[in-house]
Amino acid sequence: MRIGLIGTGRIGTFHATTLSRHREVGSLIVTDADTVRAQELADRLGATAAPGVDEIFTWGVDAVVITAATSAHAELIGRAARSGLPVFCEKPIALDLPGTLAALAEVDAAGTVLQLGFQRRFDAGYTAAREAVRSGRLGRLHTVRAMTSDQSPPPAGYLPLSGGLYRDCLIHDFDMVRWVTGREVVEVYATGSDAGPAMFREAGDIDTAAAVLTLEDGTLATATATRLNGAGYDVRMELAGELDQITVGLDDRTPIASTEPAGPPAANKPWMSFLERFGPAYEAELAAFVDVVRGERTNACDGHEALQALRITEACELSRHERRPVRLGEIPGGRD
């Protein structure tokens, strides 16, 4: 299989390395706006560096992996769809709903494959939680608590391009709430704080966020995120039911300390980054994409699944700005 990868930044480099080791990928072509960076990566992996995006589509590839800047995602997805090529794309499809819906329309019209990079669907802990909920082990689920805490903030220049904390970060938690519980969110109430470093206020963003989500069956979920968790990278989900309670992300590297005399000790080597914590999941999602391209499995996260997570982030932004509960029905793109 011959795959073209567009974008050789941090996540692009990780994905390129994973693909270069895959037994079914015989040829890998990489490109980036920074041609020197792309060439250096190609040399390191034994891949081919293309001078630009045009060559990815004219040199004859079987699939495209998009890890370029977010602002380029929708255009590249559309171009791949018009070329009849299956696509794996890092989230989000676009930074707004109109751009997302337009890109999805092109994919639907072409009848091509689009898999979005929601890697937590391939994480062992989240998968086990989904199985526990679906099996009835917890009984009636009544409370879900989801959180994502970055150890350190991204560069200031990234913030205006990120789409904000809800779209860039909490979108993963929203996807997990839907995927693990099998229930849709019907209402949100969200707030945020920009009391940290000035770069967040200057970018019109927040450094800490919280949201209360009401699911269609009455289950309540909370989702929180921060860019300033100095103890380490902390991603967890707690699910409480009438019969049992479980948690995802609690191990000997979870960056949290107990104040109880007999509590567990603080992590000796806490998680520090998303690539470290979710490395196996990132590898698994690309292996799944290769299988999808080969016709050996179904798509685990298509564009319409990603759209539903984006709609929740849009509802949260509206709620934060207008200081009110927002029904998901107010956000275009619903399935009803």
Side-chain angles (χ1 to χ4, degrees):
M1 182 181 298
R2 186 173 170 89
I3 292 183
L5 181 141
I6 304 169
T8 58
R10 180 168 56 166
I11 191 64
T13 295
F14 188 95
H15 285 337
T17 302
T18 297
L19 290 167
S20 72
R21 297 170 178 165
H22 197 290
R23 65 183 182 279
E24 299 295 345
V25 179
S27 178
L28 178 64
I29 304 170
V30 301
T31 192
D32 193 281
D34 185 338
T35 56
V36 173
R37 182 169 68 180
Q39 187 64 61
E40 289 175 347
L41 178 63
D43 292 343
R44 192 159 69 247
L45 299 179
T48 300
V53 171
D54 288 346
E55 284 75 14
I56 295 293
F57 293 98
T58 59
W59 284 4
V61 297
D62 299 304
V64 176
V65 172
I66 299 171
T67 53
T70 297
S71 59
H73 287 186
E75 178 185 352
L76 292 171
I77 289 170
R79 186 168 183 180
R82 293 189 297 274
S83 300
L85 292 171
V87 174
F88 174 93
C89 184
E90 276 301 319
K91 61 82 190 166
I93 294 172
L95 287 177
D96 58 20
L97 275 172
T100 299
L101 293 170
L104 288 178
E106 291 218 62
V107 172
D108 291 343
T112 52
V113 169
L114 170 61
Q115 180 181 326
L116 264 290
F118 282 95
Q119 85 285 350
R120 295 186 196 182
R121 292 184 177 220
F122 297 87
D123 177 74
Y126 283 104
T127 299
R130 174 184 164 96
E131 292 170 354
V133 171
R134 303 302 181 87
S135 71
R137 170 185 157 189
L138 307 187
R140 184 187 69 85
L141 190 66
H142 52 72
T143 307
V144 179
R145 307 175 190 93
M147 62 177 290
T148 294
S149 301
D150 289 337
Q151 191 272 335
S152 58
Y158 173 76
L159 294 177
L161 308 174
S162 71
L165 188 58
Y166 287 107
R167 298 185 188 95
D168 184 54
C169 185
L170 272 169
I171 192 170
H172 283 288
D173 296 275
F174 299 151
D175 181 61
M176 283 300 94
V177 168
R178 295 183 63 251
W179 189 72
V180 170
T181 68
R183 298 289 184 267
E184 295 294 344
V185 174
V186 296
E187 184 177 85
V188 308
Y189 190 89
T191 188
S193 170
D194 62 1
M199 65 179 184
F200 291 97
R201 292 185 292 280
E202 293 166 357
D205 197 3
I206 52 178
D207 57 72
T208 304
V212 177
L213 317 176
T214 301
L215 309 191
E216 60 188 344
D217 63 348
T219 300
L220 296 180
T222 60
T224 63
T226 184
R227 299 287 198 184
L228 304 165
N229 197 58
Y233 180 71
D234 192 4
V235 172
R236 280 178 282 145
M237 173 180 269
E238 299 173 359
L239 299 113
E242 293 181 347
L243 299 180
D244 202 356
Q245 180 173 234
I246 58 175
T247 184
V248 178
L250 183 61
D251 58 22
D252 61 1
R253 298 191 65 181
T254 305
I256 191 168
S258 173
T259 60
E260 299 298 330
N268 182 51
K269 186 183 178 184
W271 300 109
M272 284 290 142
S273 72
F274 64 91
L275 280 178
E276 184 183 29
R277 164 66 177 84
F278 288 113
Y282 279 114
E283 294 178 3
E285 70 176 355
L286 278 184
F289 176 63
V290 171
D291 288 346
V292 170
V293 174
R294 288 169 54 82
E296 296 175 353
R297 67 181 293 172
T298 57
N299 190 349
C301 187
D302 65 21
H304 291 279
E305 285 289 290
L307 169 63
Q308 301 314 312
L310 178 63
R311 291 178 67 239
I312 301 172
T313 72
E314 294 295 309
C316 285
E317 285 288 10
L318 184 60
S319 175
R320 178 173 74 90
H321 285 292
E322 297 189 358
R323 297 182 178 274
R324 67 174 178 89
V326 173
R327 300 286 296 181
L328 263 290
E330 298 179 48
I331 310 300
R335 289 174 165 171
D336 43 39

